[in-house]
């Protein structure tokens, strides 16, 4: 866009976007610290048009940001381009819950299990280092509980819940990769697993 003459048309609501920009820049909302990130997409219910968004805070393309960069101590080692970081919680709605809606006909009221998960040496936790037991997808997503998302994805892949109960026909990892690729991601040559 900076070098090619073009016109870009959007449904952006400038008043709404100004408010969102105020949040992202900490002008109208004070964050605890600069490490806290945020992301927002405002969608018009009737049409699905995107009317405003926040893509993150303190963003510099491939630069030194908390969302897409190395620790400050490693910047000189890696140059100005940082390193690719995992997308983390932003993909839970698509990978875990979206797949559960698509393949197992779950709803946001479906009960999932926020319980410990261990695979080899990998034993992830929730941000608050607690387990929340049986909970709805809605609550799990709202609270960004990692273990509920992992257990839900495992149900989609294997067809079994954490207690070994049948939850439907498991679709396997390859079907999940196809599902994710349909959103525009590229999982080719990716080591894709529950982690």
């Amino acid at each position: 866009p900076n070098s090619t003459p073009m016109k870009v048309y959007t449904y952006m609501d400038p008043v709404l976007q100004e408010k969102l920009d105020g949040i992202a820049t900490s002008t109208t909302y004070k964050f605890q610290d600069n490490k806290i990130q945020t992301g927002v997409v405002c969608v018009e219910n009737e049409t699905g048009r995107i009317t405003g968004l926040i893509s993150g805070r303190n963003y510099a393309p491939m630069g030194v940001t908390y969302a897409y960069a190395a620790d400050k101590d490693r910047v000189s080692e890696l140059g100005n381009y940082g390193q690719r970081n995992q997308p983390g919680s932003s993909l839970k709605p698509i990978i875990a819950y979206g797949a559960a809606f698509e393949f197992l006909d779950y709803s946001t009221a479906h009960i999932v299990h926020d319980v410990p998960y261990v695979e080899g040496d990998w034993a992830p936790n929730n941000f608050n280092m607690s387990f929340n037991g049986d909970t709805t997808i809605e609550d799990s997503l709202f609270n960004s509980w990692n273990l509920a998302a992992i257990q839900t994805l495992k149900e989609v892949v294997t067809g079994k819940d954490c207690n070994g109960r049948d939850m439907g026909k498991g679709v396997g990892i390859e079907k999940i990769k196809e599902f994710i690729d349909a959103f525009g991601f590229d999982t080719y040559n990716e080591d894709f697993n529950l982690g």
Side-chain angles (χ1 to χ4, degrees):
N2 294 333
S3 60
T4 305
M6 64 176 71
K7 292 182 181 179
V8 177
Y9 297 92
T10 73
Y11 295 103
M12 182 191 74
D13 176 338
V15 174
L16 171 64
Q17 188 61 49
E18 189 174 326
K19 290 178 182 177
L20 293 173
D21 289 343
I23 293 170
T25 60
S26 298
T27 306
T28 59
Y29 181 84
K30 298 298 178 200
F31 290 90
Q32 252 179 317
D33 58 46
N34 281 335
K35 292 183 179 181
I36 295 176
Q37 282 295 326
T38 184
V40 174
V41 177
C42 295
V43 178
E44 199 174 67
N45 283 343
E46 296 83 18
T47 63
R49 295 173 176 162
I50 295 174
T51 56
L53 62 89
I54 298 175
S55 59
R57 297 179 61 234
N58 306 318
Y59 175 74
M62 294 290 290
V64 185
T65 72
Y66 293 103
Y68 197 86
D71 294 334
K72 290 180 182 177
D73 300 334
R74 295 192 61 210
V75 171
S76 60
E77 172 189 335
L78 296 170
N80 291 331
Y81 292 102
Q83 67 184 10
R84 289 178 58 186
N85 288 334
Q86 290 182 332
S89 295
S90 62
L91 287 182
K92 285 181 209 170
I94 296 172
I95 293 176
Y97 304 122
F101 299 153
E102 179 75 15
F103 298 114
L104 299 179
D105 294 324
Y106 286 6
S107 72
T108 55
H110 186 86
I111 300 296
V112 293
H113 312 288
D114 189 68
V115 296
Y117 180 87
V118 177
E119 184 177 308
D121 292 336
W122 184 57
N125 284 305
N126 289 319
F127 71 93
N128 59 1
M129 305 303 281
S130 70
F131 308 112
N132 302 285
D134 291 347
T135 180
T136 64
I137 287 178
E138 180 180 21
D139 285 342
S140 299
L141 188 56
F142 177 82
N143 290 290
S144 195
W145 289 326
N146 296 324
L147 297 166
I150 293 165
Q151 295 287 1
T152 302
L153 179 58
K154 182 181 173 195
E155 290 178 16
V156 177
V157 171
T158 67
K160 305 261 186 221
D161 74 1
C162 61
N163 299 309
R165 292 184 295 238
D166 286 330
M167 302 307 293
K169 186 175 183 322
V171 300
I173 289 290
E174 287 306 312
K175 191 74 171 174
I176 294 296
K177 286 175 73 171
E178 289 173 21
F179 177 73
I180 295 167
D181 286 345
F183 282 94
F185 295 99
D186 180 6
T187 59
Y188 179 74
N189 274 344
E190 291 286 335
D191 178 21
F192 190 86
N193 54 50
L194 292 180

